[in-house]
């Protein structure tokens, strides 16, 4: 089983693409909806919540967990990989979504000028700037935090006038910083739901790059290069294309909220995360 973690619903946009390229794999999706959004939280909170989620998914039998959340990838991934994983589960893996996205950014622009839009946490961490500089040192990169967008999406206010107003404000700010930007990376897994509004407000010469498809392809590449992880994922349980949706909020809350991300009805299970290795869930 492959574990996918997000602070709330956003990672469903990534899971959807993953399920298309890995149709026979089993997935466990965990949304920490009870504590979302993570975007404006401190490093300590994001790190400890993410670690609890990773432990939980490991204890369910997921040898690979993907943090399908830019904020958790920016704030918690490195510490978990370097400090916790070697002690907790040295044969397991935790991957984020910033590095694989950074690897591709240079291919997305013609002018060599790109903009990154994300939560306050993702932008303040400078993770995109650092990762992109490793692969594409000549790219010009500007960033802009969009603190209102995740709360608006989580509240289901996608088509509200306020959402379009904030998108106009954030995109104007980043294009004022660098008018040569021709590609805006939506570096938050919630933003694909706002793609139409971005397209509406942006000048025609500015493209939108969203992550989900890229992350799915990169995961395929990772699995083909790491057969030892791939075969553990397939063993437990045998592959049959089953997806379990788990949430720290109520199952009912998740089932209703997930609809706009997933596009069809799902059944969710409420789980309780503890800081030890146990987990439990109720239907
Ligand atoms: N969807 C998450 C991301 O990609 C963050 C949402 C949040 O603020 O919790 O950054």
């Amino acid at each position: 089983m492959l574990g996918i973690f997000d602070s709330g619903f956003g990672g469903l946009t990534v899971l959807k693409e993953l399920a298309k390229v890995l149709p026979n794999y089993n997935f466990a999706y965990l949304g920490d909806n009870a504590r979302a959004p993570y975007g404006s939280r401190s490093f300590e909170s994001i790190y400890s919540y993410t670690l609890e989620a990773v432990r939980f998914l490991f204890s369910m039998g997921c040898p690979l967990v993907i943090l399908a959340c830019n904020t958790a990838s920016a704030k918690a991934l490195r510490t978990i990989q370097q400090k916790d994983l070697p002690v907790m589960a040295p044969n397991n893996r935790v991957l984020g979504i910033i590095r694989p996205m950074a690897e591709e950014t240079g291919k997305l622009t013609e002018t060599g000028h790109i903009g990154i839009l994300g939560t306050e946490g993702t932008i303040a961490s400078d993770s995109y700037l650092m990762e992109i500089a490793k692969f594409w040192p000549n790219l010009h990169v500007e960033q802009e935090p969009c603190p209102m967008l995740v709360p608006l999406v989580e509240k289901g206010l996608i088509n509200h006038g306020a959402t379009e107003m904030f998108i106009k404000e954030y995109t104007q700010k980043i294009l004022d910083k660098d008018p040569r930007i021709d590609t805006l990376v939506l570096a938050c897994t919630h933003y694909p739901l706002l793609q139409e509004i971005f397209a509406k407000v942006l000048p025609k010469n500015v493209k939108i790059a969203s992550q989900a498809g890229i992350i799915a392809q990169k995961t395929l590449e990772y699995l083909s290069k790491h057969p030892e992880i791939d075969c553990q994922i397939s063993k437990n349980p045998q592959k049959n294309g089953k997806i379990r949706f788990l949430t720290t909020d109520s199952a009912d809350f998740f089932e209703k909220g997930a609809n706009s991300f997933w596009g069809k009805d799902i059944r969710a299970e409420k789980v309780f995360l503890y800081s030890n290795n146990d987990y439990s869930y109720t239907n």
Side-chain angles (χ1 to χ4, degrees), residues 6-7 10 36-39 68-71 97 119 122 150 187-190:
D6 182 58
S7 58
Y38 278 13
C69 174
N70 290 273
T71 313
I97 57 173
T119 65
T122 300
V150 170
C188 172
T189 52
H190 282 66

Side-chain angles (χ1 to χ4, degrees), residues 1-2 15-28 220 223 230 233-243:
M1 198 156 41
L2 216 159
L15 175 61
K16 211 169 178 181
E17 295 304 314
L18 278 169
K20 280 185 202 158
V21 297
L22 298 168
N24 301 321
Y25 282 62
N26 296 328
F27 293 92
L220 268 185
L223 292 175
D230 192 22
I233 293 171
S234 315
K235 265 196 319 218
N236 185 15
Q238 290 296 319
K239 291 182 195 172
N240 61 9
K242 188 173 182 323
I243 304 179

